[in-house]
Amino acid sequence: MIGPLISSESLLARLDDPGIVVLEVSFYEPDKTAYFTSHIPGARYVYWKDLLWHELNREIPTSEVMAERLGSLGVGDDTMLVLVGDPVQFATYAYWVLAMTGFEAQSTVLDGGRVTWANQGKSMTTDLPVIEPRSVAPGPVDASCRIGRDDVLAGLDNPSRVLIDLRSGEEYSGERVAPLSAPFDHGAERRGHIPGARNLPIERLLKDDRTFKAPDELWAEFAMVGMADGQEVVTSCRLGHRASLGWFVLTRLLGWDQVRVYDGSWTEWGSIVGFPVER
């Protein structure tokens, strides 16, 4: 077992291991991704929606469909799958979906993702790997780490629940709908945040090189937004990716049990007729 997080140094030492599949999970579609310019040797590319969403519905795939998709990427029952985010939160989103569909035990996230690996000057290539499809058995389904809009709405006044919004300050305050890095400002019909949500931009959980901060620093960041012992945590953002990074930090790096991701997040909430908004 490698664990939920692997460093770039550890991955570099294992690149020749036939039991490891490196998968770059990209925000960018094939015509825009940096993968085809250069990537970690042996890494396969996948556009995040193609792997992690139902083909048509705004829904995660079944465990059986996920098994088919992973198998087509060369993942078998004995494979350790290293998720490389471009950017890093797309790896944590993949990890979150894989946890729900039964493949967490064979998955790990590369600390810092593609950007950190490249900035560290580690080996990159333009060679595309030869992928031999394999068979991988569907895993046990457990969606207990996911929460829907109605449950979020019903718990707005619940003092034992804290809602943490991991978007940028501009998105949270209502200055923008999308982060400044987005090509244009879009994603919901209204601006603002879910009533009572506390703002914790994901940048506060990451070092300058985009790797995760040390556990004591991470605890301090969550304490600053008022998270207290015994509370259930709900994470949100614009579309679920940054929310999954918050879930990953709390549950897999810090061991906090009661955390759920509202994956509809602001894209959904900010467009629902009749749902409350704060600015």
Side-chain angles (χ1 to χ4, degrees), residues 177 187-191 266-267 270-271:
V177 174
E189 292 302 315
R190 293 175 295 168
R191 300 167 185 260
W266 193 251
T267 300
S271 298

Side-chain angles (χ1 to χ4, degrees), residues 54-109:
H54 183 281
E55 185 177 359
L56 297 175
N57 300 338
R58 171 61 172 89
E59 186 56 271
I60 63 172
T62 64
S63 183
E64 290 76 15
V65 169
M66 182 61 76
E68 293 175 4
R69 293 176 181 178
L70 292 175
S72 70
L73 292 164
V75 176
D77 290 323
D78 57 349
T79 299
M80 177 53 65
L81 180 61
V82 179
L83 302 165
V84 179
D86 182 24
V88 64
Q89 61 264 30
F90 284 80
T92 58
Y93 188 84
Y95 188 98
W96 176 67
V97 173
L98 290 168
M100 289 189 288
T101 51
F103 299 96
E104 178 177 13
Q106 61 189 107
S107 302
T108 188
V109 170

Side-chain angles (χ1 to χ4, degrees), residues 171-188:
E171 294 167 90
Y172 176 82
S173 68
E175 295 175 51
R176 293 180 58 87
V177 174
L180 290 168
S181 58
F184 60 97
D185 194 16
H186 73 294

Side-chain angles (χ1 to χ4, degrees), residues 148-158 161 269 275:
R149 64 194 184 196
D150 293 333
D151 197 348
V152 174
L153 180 66
L156 290 184
D157 296 323
N158 183 353
R161 176 187 289 179
W269 190 280
F275 271 44

